[in-house]
Structure formats: structure tokens, C-alpha cells
Amino acid sequence: MTGDGVDRSDGRGARAGIARARDALARKGGQGLSGSGRVGGQWIRDAVTAAPAPSVPWAGPWKCTLAGILAHRPGSPLLTIRPLTLLDRFGALYLDTEQVGFDGELHDWPKVARIRLRNAFELLTTDALEQEVDRIRPLFPPIPGRKRALTFVAENMATVLLAAIDQGDDALGNAVVGELHYRGLLGVKHIARPGLFAAALLSLRPDIGTSLLEEAERHGVPVDRPETAALALPADLEQRVAVLRRRTDALVARLNAEQVEDDRPAEIP
């Protein structure tokens, strides 16, 4: 039993699985996304870690977006995409004293009825990566370099995802904000969930999640915390991580293949 009251005795296999996965990552080095990545995986990891957290007490609106981070990297293909306003709403977490939300969908605090915490690993090991790439495709205007920019975003997003699952079982077993229950028009209840980047950010940066929950408490919003059993990591964690790595590499390889095909000059009949 750990100090946080979570029984991890059944997670010994999970801990060993993470250790083996991390050793495999070190051996693989810079090959593919499971290592440093084609686009400088360490850079995006460092940028996420260094992103400023919301100030408490609140000094003003706070937002962190994947596109906002990537657009400031020298040589980023996103520098050629104008306007970036639509893209800036992708992979976003927004917080202030008046509103909270993910990916451009903001909700007034008085309309937030409940916050539900979920297992961090559960949020990071679904079909989220493929879904995020499909969601971001329409945001890029049909201009030269479109697929290069899409691949750039996908690679960095995959790197952030893999950085989150490489933290170790203590971090992966932590509870993070997984659902915002809010009242919409006519009082209809809805649920907002963080996208892949927002979920990885909350996992990598627990200080940000703490600020969000402190503001929720200030507004009297109840927080549902999962039972201990819901936080337990699966015994087959190593296999799940390996599958996720293969899927991320396969997805980006497919995007790179599409990019090469798109960049070929048109044949003259």
C-alpha cells in the first residue's frame, strides 16, 4: 500500500513491464517515434515540461496548445500555415476564473456540474491518436506542404503520448481530469473529455491538474475520484505499450508515405 492509499501489489508485473519497455526505448535510440523521433522528440518533451503552469491565485486566462508549442519551433512547417486560429484550438487546455475547457470548447464555471477523474493510462491507450489525426486533417488548408505539416504535428503528438506512458507506473496510475460534466442549452447535460494532447499534458504536468481542481473547488464543483481498483494498472501493461508504440510508428509511416506521394510532380500526359 502506497502513501496515497492505492494498493499496487497487483501492479508488480506492470512495473516490470514499464522498466522493460523503457530499456527497449533506450536500445532503440533515435529510430522511429519510440526513440527521439524524426522531428526531435526530446525538444517537444522539454517544451511540454517547461510550459508555464497557471498561476494561483489566478492572474488571467491560461491556455496551452500543441499547435502553439510547435508553431514556435524554428523551422516548423506550421510557420507557413496562416491563419493558425483553427489549428490553435486543436490539442488545447484552457483555464481561468470564468471558464474551463478542452480544444476550443469553453464552459462557464457556473455551468460545470461535476468533474470526474480517470486513470491516466486509460485516457492514453485508446484509438485516440488515429482519431486526433483524422480530426486535425480538415483544419489544414489545401496548400503545398499540407501533408508535411500534418505529419509534423502527428509525430510530435505521438512523442508527447509516448513520453506520458514512459513516466512509470506511479504516474500512470494517477487520477487526472477525464470528464467535465456541464449544462448546455435548456439545462441539457453534456460531457466534455480532454483530447489526446490535453490528457497527456495533464498526466505529464500534475501541477496543471492541481490548479484546475483548486479552481473547481473555489466554484463549488464536486469532483468524483475513482475507486482504488479503477486506478490499478493492467498486468499486461508491457504488451499494451508495445502495441501502442507499433501503432504510432505505423500511423506516422503511413502519413510520411502519403506526404511523399503528395509531393511527387504531376505526370504530363
Side-chain angles (χ1 to χ4, degrees):
M1 183 77 69
T2 60
D4 60 1
V6 178
D7 186 349
R8 303 190 190 280
S9 59
D10 292 336
R12 285 173 294 186
R15 284 194 292 272
I18 285 187
R20 287 191 293 270
R22 190 176 293 113
D23 290 343
L25 168 62
R27 289 194 301 272
K28 190 169 184 179
Q31 300 176 9
L33 286 173
S34 299
S36 60
R38 304 176 186 85
V39 293
Q42 191 58 48
W43 179 88
I44 183 64
R45 297 180 193 206
D46 292 344
V48 169
T49 302
S55 59
V56 179
W58 295 78
W62 179 93
K63 179 172 67 173
C64 185
T65 73
L66 177 62
I69 291 176
L70 297 182
H72 287 86
R73 185 185 182 194
S76 168
L78 299 187
L79 295 173
T80 63
I81 304 293
R82 294 292 187 271
L84 270 175
T85 51
L86 286 177
L87 186 58
D88 195 48
R89 292 202 296 266
F90 170 80
L93 175 61
Y94 181 94
L95 303 168
D96 68 12
T97 57
E98 305 296 330
Q99 295 179 310
V100 61
F102 311 113
D103 300 346
E105 295 185 1
L106 305 184
H107 312 289
D108 296 336
W109 276 110
K111 293 186 178 180
V112 177
R114 185 173 300 277
I115 289 178
R116 179 162 294 171
L117 305 186
R118 296 176 61 188
N119 183 310
F121 183 74
E122 177 187 353
L123 294 176
L124 299 170
T125 53
T126 64
D127 294 331
L129 183 59
E130 290 91 338
Q131 293 171 358
E132 295 288 75
V133 171
D134 288 340
R135 188 163 65 93
I136 199 175
R137 285 178 189 269
L139 301 182
F140 284 98
I143 61 175
R146 174 179 183 269
K147 290 188 177 180
R148 175 171 173 257
L150 175 61
T151 303
F152 176 77
V153 172
E155 285 188 320
N156 279 283
M157 183 167 56
T159 300
V160 173
L161 166 64
L162 294 175
I165 66 172
D166 280 337
Q167 295 177 92
D169 64 323
D170 286 337
L172 287 176
N174 286 338
V176 300
V177 176
E179 297 179 357
L180 292 177
H181 294 237
Y182 66 96
R183 293 180 293 273
L185 293 175
L186 304 177
V188 178
K189 295 181 180 179
H190 301 279
I191 299 177
R193 296 179 176 88
L196 181 61
F197 174 73
L201 179 66
L202 288 167
S203 177
L204 288 165
R205 295 290 305 276
D207 55 328
I208 294 175
T210 298
S211 296
L212 192 160
L213 294 179
E214 287 180 356
E215 188 64 17
E217 181 180 1
R218 194 178 75 83
H219 286 276
V221 177
V223 176
D224 290 343
R225 302 180 183 275
E227 299 292 337
T228 300
L231 293 174
L233 293 172
D236 61 343
L237 181 64
E238 181 183 8
Q239 290 82 358
R240 295 193 187 194
V241 169
V243 169
L244 183 59
R245 290 183 182 283
R246 288 196 297 270
R247 290 175 68 181
T248 56
D249 281 335
L251 174 63
V252 176
R254 188 173 76 244
L255 290 172
N256 273 307
E258 293 177 1
Q259 175 185 318
V260 170
E261 185 69 26
D262 189 53
D263 290 343
R264 288 176 181 170
E267 297 182 0
I268 300 177

